[in-house]
Amino acid sequence: MPHQNNIYLDNNATTRIDDRVLDVMLPYLSDSYANASSSHLAGLTIQEAVENARWETANLIGAKEEEIIFTSGATESINLVIKGLANESHKHIITVTTEHKAVLETCRYMEETGFNLTYLPVAADGILDPEILAEAITDNTLLVIIMNVNNETGVIQDLQAISKIVQAKNALLLCDSTQAVGKIPINVKDLGVDFLPLSAHKFHGPKGVGALYLSAKAKIKITPQIHGGGQQRKLRSGTLNVPGIIGLGKSCEIAGREMEANTEKISALRNQLEEGLLKIEGSFVNGSLLNRIYNTTNICFPGVNSERLIMALQNISVSNGSSCSSVISEPSHVLKALGLSDENALSSIRFSLSKFTTVEEIEETISRIHSLIKELKS
């Protein structure tokens, strides 16, 4: 059972569903249960609600409704793009060492099928130098994959500069915007991206639903990975997850309307948390202090094992960003790519806030961490 005073600061992993989102979903789990692909009146009514959610999703990212495909989330969307391009004649893919595992593991699979992969490094602040991309890209490059906001550090890449380089070589650009959509303004046309995946549960929507933006030129190159009834213009067959899609649409509508207010509130809380924790001797922030999203801070506490600290925090939920098993804890590949030692990577904690975070929760977190680090170091 959750602690009575649970403090949740792991919102880059998932977020609490907004009550207003849940409210609009409930009818589609009870009375309004018809299949959106059915031709009867009940089905057509559901289809109209689905298309409204598609419009809300497209509107949030500056896309057209016909450019949106609903999926189970960003991981499926990423797989659909990368594997869906397997039949193209060009066999070179470029990505970055700090990408999410959904990208990196899919790219490793593509290497096994005969594709050539280039993994670009980032600087110590987590930023990719566009000149490094310009040197790596060739006329044989099919796809460049670079995320918008990093899930562990919150670092934001310069996608407009990146997209110009990609477009000059007539390659395609996949931008994992899972941590960006719903939090910061996104316009796919301004960014110059061809593919943009997103997940509802990262901005107070339900789990198990997301979407993929496909530009008009990119759509014709994609081979479907799920075959069946030919739903969603044959790009992603299967009965639509109507309650999830309705929830996604409502999350997009709320995010677009409240983004400015959320940004002001959450950034102030993040800065308060960071200021308090950086008073701990030797602590420092991982990644850029200038080019990052407002809800995230990743802090290293040298000499403190992050797993022990997380367990000691009990009712305060944070993340160390590492890949754990019952036997061994591995340092984060993202932090290693920034140049951190194994020891410092394993001493780092990610704090990610949401619109539900309060001043009182931040104050308690600062106090508890100060006390626990003194205990752990002693």
Side-chain angles (χ1 to χ4, degrees):
M1 291 293 291
H3 191 282
Q4 186 176 3
N5 297 312
N6 184 51
I7 297 173
Y8 189 80
L9 300 178
D10 195 22
N11 289 278
N12 285 7
T14 195
T15 57
R16 167 185 155 188
I17 191 168
D18 191 300
D19 290 342
R20 294 167 291 180
V21 173
L22 184 59
D23 286 344
V24 299
M25 291 175 63
L26 288 175
Y28 297 92
L29 290 164
S30 54
D31 296 334
S32 301
Y33 55 84
N35 191 320
S37 298
S38 298
S39 57
H40 47 64
L41 180 59
L44 293 173
T45 302
I46 300 297
Q47 181 62 30
E48 184 178 357
V50 166
E51 291 308 314
N52 180 66
R54 196 186 305 274
W55 183 88
E56 293 286 4
T57 305
N59 184 59
L60 183 63
I61 61 172
K64 299 176 181 177
E65 295 152 85
E66 60 268 24
E67 296 171 325
I68 298 296
I69 299 295
F70 292 121
T71 68
S72 63
T75 295
E76 182 194 335
S77 299
I78 288 165
N79 275 263
L80 172 57
V81 172
I82 299 174
K83 295 175 181 176
L85 292 170
N87 292 328
E88 290 296 307
S89 58
H90 293 177
K91 299 294 181 181
H92 181 222
I93 296 174
I94 297 174
T95 190
V96 181
T97 54
T98 51
E99 292 294 305
H100 191 276
K101 288 293 182 70
V103 166
L104 296 178
E105 291 302 315
T106 310
C107 284
R108 291 189 182 104
Y109 166 79
M110 297 303 287
E111 284 188 275
E112 295 173 1
T113 67
F115 274 73
N116 296 315
L117 266 292
T118 299
Y119 297 90
L120 302 179
V122 294
D125 62 359
I127 303 292
L128 171 70
D129 182 350
E131 289 302 314
I132 294 178
L133 171 62
E135 293 172 4
I137 197 167
T138 72
D139 292 335
N140 191 48
T141 302
L142 169 65
L143 180 66
V144 175
I145 310 168
I146 299 174
M147 68 191 341
N148 191 337
V149 175
N150 187 271
N151 54 299
E152 292 193 32
T153 62
V155 167
I156 300 176
Q157 301 293 346
D158 186 355
L159 281 174
Q160 289 184 316
I162 288 166
S163 65
K164 290 177 182 177
I165 295 168
V166 176
Q167 290 168 358
K169 287 291 185 179
N170 292 315
L172 298 169
L173 178 59
L174 164 60
C175 173
D176 176 6
S177 288
T178 312
Q179 297 293 342
V181 173
K183 299 175 187 175
I184 60 176
I186 297 289
N187 186 296
V188 292
K189 309 302 181 186
D190 291 343
L191 292 177
V193 301
D194 297 291
F195 307 102
L196 189 143
L198 59 96
S199 288
H201 75 103
K202 300 295 187 180
F203 57 108
H204 307 290
K207 295 175 180 65
V209 65
L212 172 65
Y213 158 77
L214 305 96
S215 68
K217 71 169 183 177
K219 189 185 301 183
I220 60 174
K221 297 178 180 289
I222 292 292
T223 300
Q225 299 304 295
I226 300 176
H227 298 88
Q231 290 90 342
Q232 301 201 82
R233 303 173 186 88
K234 299 184 178 181
L235 285 172
R236 203 272 190 179
S237 292
T239 301
L240 294 178
N241 172 11
V242 173
I245 289 169
I246 298 302
L248 169 60
K250 186 63 175 179
S251 297
C252 290
E253 181 254 305
I254 293 171
R257 180 160 32 88
E258 299 180 356
M259 191 178 296
E260 186 175 350
N262 289 338
T263 301
E264 183 177 353
K265 174 196 171 182
I266 299 169
S267 59
L269 291 174
R270 192 278 309 273
N271 293 343
Q272 178 188 351
L273 174 67
E274 199 169 80
E275 182 180 349
L277 294 180
L278 289 178
K279 291 177 181 177
I280 296 171
E281 185 178 0
S283 61
F284 59 89
V285 175
N286 295 314
S288 174
L289 293 174
L290 298 176
N291 300 298
R292 58 173 175 162
I293 200 162
Y294 56 83
N295 81 311
T296 305
T297 183
N298 190 306
I299 301 179
C300 179
F301 304 102
V304 177
N305 182 279
S306 60
E307 282 195 353
R308 291 183 63 191
L309 179 57
I310 289 171
M311 292 300 294
L313 283 168
Q314 296 181 337
N315 65 305
I316 301 177
S317 300
V318 294
S319 169
N320 59 3
S322 63
S323 176
C324 300
S325 71
S326 59
V327 180
I328 189 170
S329 174
E330 298 178 354
S332 158
H333 74 280
V334 171
L335 300 184
K336 290 282 289 177
L338 270 60
L340 268 71
S341 65
D342 285 0
E343 182 180 7
N344 279 347
L346 290 169
S347 297
S348 296
I349 297 284
R350 179 189 71 186
F351 304 86
S352 45
L353 288 59
S354 84
K355 64 184 180 182
F356 295 118
T357 307
T358 67
V359 172
E360 292 75 21
E361 290 175 335
I362 295 300
E363 291 173 346
E364 182 176 343
T365 299
I366 294 170
S367 176
R368 288 274 298 283
I369 290 180
H370 272 266
S371 298
L372 287 170
I373 286 181
K374 285 181 182 178
E375 292 179 19
L376 291 171
K377 283 188 174 181
S378 65

